[in-house]
């Protein structure tokens, strides 16, 4: 039988990439006090996707173990702009943009975290008070040489690409957050390791017990290759409609499904091992994927919406039924309007070139028939049921009069 501390370490390590330093965390847990567990996010975009929730889910594990979560909204550091992974200087956001995005972050994270066990903090509370003198004194505690050890800074420096001075301040300000919060543990993605270590070193420099660090993997997107990102279009937003979220989860590969289970599911490790054994014994992986999709959709939209999304998915893909909430669009077409142009005008694709590409790949159906001729013209006065890929539908009516 494992001791309670060993069980806690196993829960904390589940799905994690690296724990620095495990022996220190064991000692902290052995004190029996509630640990202050920090996660900082800069609200640089209004919406979160499932990739962001990997580390938030780990915060939930700490809450279930009885610890205090400190969810830090980087309204000050967000104006600097985290240079992690960037190959060029990143323009800072305004305070107004940051605060607007911060409110949506608060609304979204409480779909995962227990509000009663979560302390919401803004780092402007202590960063604004530093002033010019405080910033200079803080900067004196770290060398430029140490900052340039960071991989992205090092590459940009060697390639003679610009590094703005404010970017060098970012790791220091993130590290100072840990000092101000007296955090015991800080979480972040693997790409944040350098910044988290700066916090650990600054705490020691300020006479505090250094925080332990837990890094979480970066979740691959729907393509199973690149990390989930809105800019790459391979993401699942946690505010997306239940049907869209369910369909995207069902589209991932069978191998990627287990990665999503490990990093996103709240099922126990033992339950996931049993599901893997079931598949090895012959159970259809699709059935397991349905369980994952239902769990994730229910987390953000409720069990009723999850069930409805499953029913619609089965009707649409097993029985060919059309979605009940299909948008209706009216267009002022002309005698020269092609279906490729129609797809763009109806908002089903970003551009006509994308429409042509999808048509050539056989991904467009008009009234249930596959469209193969990208130059085919629409007829005025007609209404078409248009499908692009597996999840995009629209009922498009072409007006009789020319635009």
């Amino acid at each position: 039988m494992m001791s309670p501390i060993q069980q806690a370490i196993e829960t904390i390590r589940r799905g994690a990439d690296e724990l620095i330093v495990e022996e220190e965390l064991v000692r902290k847990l052995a004190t029996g006090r509630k640990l202050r567990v920090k996660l900082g996010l800069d609200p640089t975009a209004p919406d979160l996707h499932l990739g962001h929730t990997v580390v938030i889910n780990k915060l939930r594990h700490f809450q279930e173990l009885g610890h205090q979560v400190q969810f830090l909204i980087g309204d000050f550091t967000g104006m600097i702009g985290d240079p992690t992974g960037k190959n060029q200087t990143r323009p800072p956001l305004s305070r107004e943009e940051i605060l607007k995005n911060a409110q949506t972050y608060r609304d979204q994270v409480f779909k995962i975290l227990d509000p009663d066990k979560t302390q919401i903090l803004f780092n402007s509370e202590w960063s604004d008070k530093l002033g010019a003198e405080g910033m200079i004194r803080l900067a004196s505690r770290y060398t430029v040489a140490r900052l340039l050890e960071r991989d992205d800074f090092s590459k940009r420096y060697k390639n003679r690409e610009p590094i703005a001075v404010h970017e060098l301040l970012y790791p220091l300000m993130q590290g100072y957050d840990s000092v101000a919060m007296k955090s015991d543990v800080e979480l972040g993605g693997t790409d944040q390791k350098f910044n988290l270590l700066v916090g650990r070193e600054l705490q020691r420099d300020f006479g505090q017990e250094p925080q332990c660090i837990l890094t979480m993997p970066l979740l691959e997107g729907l393509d199973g290759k690149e990390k989930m990102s809105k800019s790459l279009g391979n993401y699942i937003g946690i505010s997306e409609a239940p049907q869209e979220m369910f369909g995207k989860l069902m589209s991932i590969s069978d191998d990627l499904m287990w990665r999503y289970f490990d990093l996103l599911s709240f099922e126990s490790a033992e339950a996931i091992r049993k599901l893997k054994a079931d598949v090895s014994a012959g159970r259809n992986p699709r059935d397991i994927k349905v369980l994952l999709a239902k769990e994730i959709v229910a987390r953000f939209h409720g069990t009723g919406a999850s069930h409805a999304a499953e029913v619609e998915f089965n009707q649409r893909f097993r029985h060919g039924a059309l979605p009940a909430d299909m948008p209706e669009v009216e267009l002022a077409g002309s005698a020269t309007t092609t279906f490729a142009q129609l797809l763009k005008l109806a908002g089903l694709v970003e551009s006509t070139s994308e429409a042509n590409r999808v048509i050539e790949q056989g991904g467009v159906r008009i009234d249930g028939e596959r469209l193969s001729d990208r130059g085919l013209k629409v007829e005025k006065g007609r209404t078409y049921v248009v499908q692009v890929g597996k999840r995009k539908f629209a009922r498009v009516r072409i007006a009789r009069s020319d635009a």
Side-chain angles (χ1 to χ4, degrees):
M1 291 288 291
M2 288 191 295
S3 70
I5 291 179
Q6 289 173 320
Q7 291 175 344
I9 290 293
E10 184 176 86
T11 298
I12 291 167
R13 273 199 168 278
R14 172 181 163 181
D17 183 79
E18 189 174 8
L19 173 56
I20 306 171
V21 176
E22 183 171 323
E23 293 78 8
E24 293 180 13
L25 182 56
V26 168
R27 287 198 296 271
K28 290 176 187 281
L29 292 171
T31 65
R33 66 179 178 87
K34 287 186 178 181
L35 301 184
R36 292 180 293 271
V37 184
K38 170 195 172 189
L39 171 66
L41 288 181
D42 291 343
T44 52
D47 296 313
L48 299 175
H49 55 62
L50 290 184
H52 295 120
T53 71
V54 170
V55 68
I56 300 174
N57 290 346
K58 185 56 64 177
L59 286 180
R60 180 186 170 106
H61 288 161
F62 275 99
Q63 286 186 330
E64 291 170 347
L65 292 169
H67 301 292
Q68 176 69 47
V69 162
Q70 295 178 313
F71 187 83
L72 176 67
I73 293 176
D75 59 328
F76 184 92
T77 46
M79 291 191 299
I80 299 175
D82 184 3
T84 299
K86 305 296 184 295
N87 57 13
Q88 59 185 359
T89 299
R90 176 176 176 170
L93 296 181
S94 69
R95 178 63 63 88
E96 291 72 24
E97 291 172 309
I98 291 291
L99 292 178
K100 182 178 178 181
N101 293 343
Q103 183 56 50
T104 63
Y105 274 32
R106 294 179 65 154
D107 296 340
Q108 292 168 358
V109 297
F110 285 141
K111 294 182 179 181
I112 301 174
L113 300 178
D114 183 344
D116 294 333
K117 299 178 181 178
T118 305
Q119 182 182 15
I120 299 288
L121 298 166
F122 292 80
N123 59 12
S124 61
E125 179 182 343
W126 48 83
S127 297
D128 283 347
K129 295 175 184 176
L130 275 176
E133 180 182 352
M135 291 283 285
I136 292 171
R137 290 187 182 278
L138 178 62
S140 71
R141 295 174 179 267
Y142 222 80
T143 68
V144 173
R146 292 297 305 278
L147 290 172
L148 290 179
E149 290 175 2
R150 213 174 83 162
D151 187 55
D152 44 6
F153 285 157
S154 176
K155 289 179 180 177
R156 287 162 63 182
Y157 184 74
K158 289 177 182 177
N159 294 334
R160 298 188 177 182
E161 296 169 344
I163 303 174
V165 173
H166 77 277
E167 294 182 280
L168 297 176
L169 294 176
Y170 188 92
L172 287 176
M173 296 311 303
Q174 181 173 329
Y176 185 67
D177 291 340
S178 295
V179 174
M181 296 165 66
K182 297 181 174 62
S183 56
D184 295 300
V185 184
E186 183 170 12
L187 276 61
T190 52
D191 58 345
Q192 289 290 315
K193 181 178 176 180
F194 183 92
N195 293 348
L196 306 183
L197 287 170
V198 172
R200 181 176 163 87
E201 293 174 30
L202 283 179
Q203 282 182 311
R204 185 182 288 113
D205 197 46
F206 275 87
Q208 296 180 9
E209 182 181 353
Q211 64 187 12
C212 295
I213 293 170
L214 187 72
T215 58
M216 299 298 296
L218 303 179
L219 183 69
E220 295 85 355
L222 299 173
D223 54 10
K225 298 177 181 177
E226 302 291 339
K227 77 171 184 176
M228 187 173 288
S229 166
K230 294 194 75 172
S231 62
L232 295 176
N234 63 353
Y235 70 101
I236 304 175
I238 68 174
S239 297
E240 289 190 57
Q243 294 84 355
E244 184 74 6
M245 184 180 287
F246 194 98
K248 284 185 174 182
L249 285 163
M250 291 300 296
S251 74
I252 64 176
S253 69
D254 293 346
D255 289 338
L256 187 60
M257 172 182 70
W258 297 119
R259 175 78 160 170
Y260 277 41
F261 259 112
D262 287 337
L263 297 180
L264 300 176
S265 176
F266 291 161
E267 292 289 342
S268 68
E270 179 58 36
I272 294 173
R273 282 193 290 268
K274 185 178 184 306
L275 291 174
K276 290 181 179 179
D278 290 346
V279 170
S280 297
R283 187 175 180 183
N284 191 335
R286 184 192 180 282
D287 297 339
I288 309 301
K289 206 176 297 180
V290 167
L291 297 178
L292 174 67
K294 289 175 67 175
E295 178 190 350
I296 301 301
V297 173
R299 182 177 309 160
F300 298 106
H301 297 286
T303 54
S306 176
H307 176 72
E310 180 190 14
V311 170
E312 179 172 321
F313 181 87
N314 288 333
Q315 289 177 338
R316 189 185 306 181
F317 295 105
R318 284 186 174 180
H319 311 300
L322 298 174
D325 59 347
M326 187 191 313
E328 298 190 7
V329 181
E330 184 167 346
L331 300 177
S334 70
T336 60
T337 302
T338 66
F339 277 100
Q341 293 169 325
L342 176 148
L343 297 182
K344 180 180 182 298
L345 293 171
L348 295 169
V349 295
E350 293 291 332
S351 64
T352 305
S353 60
E354 180 186 350
N356 288 331
R357 184 171 63 254
V358 176
I359 291 170
E360 290 173 355
Q361 293 172 348
V364 177
R365 290 183 180 272
I366 307 296
D367 294 333
E369 298 294 326
R370 192 180 303 278
L371 177 65
S372 57
D373 182 0
R374 67 185 190 183
L376 189 66
K377 307 292 193 299
V378 303
E379 295 180 29
K380 291 187 289 184
R382 282 282 305 274
T383 297
Y384 299 99
V385 173
V386 184
Q387 177 182 354
V388 178
K390 293 183 177 181
R391 294 183 296 275
K392 291 184 179 180
F393 290 82
R395 185 174 281 106
V396 182
R397 180 178 180 275
I398 308 299
R400 290 187 178 278
S401 59
D402 288 354

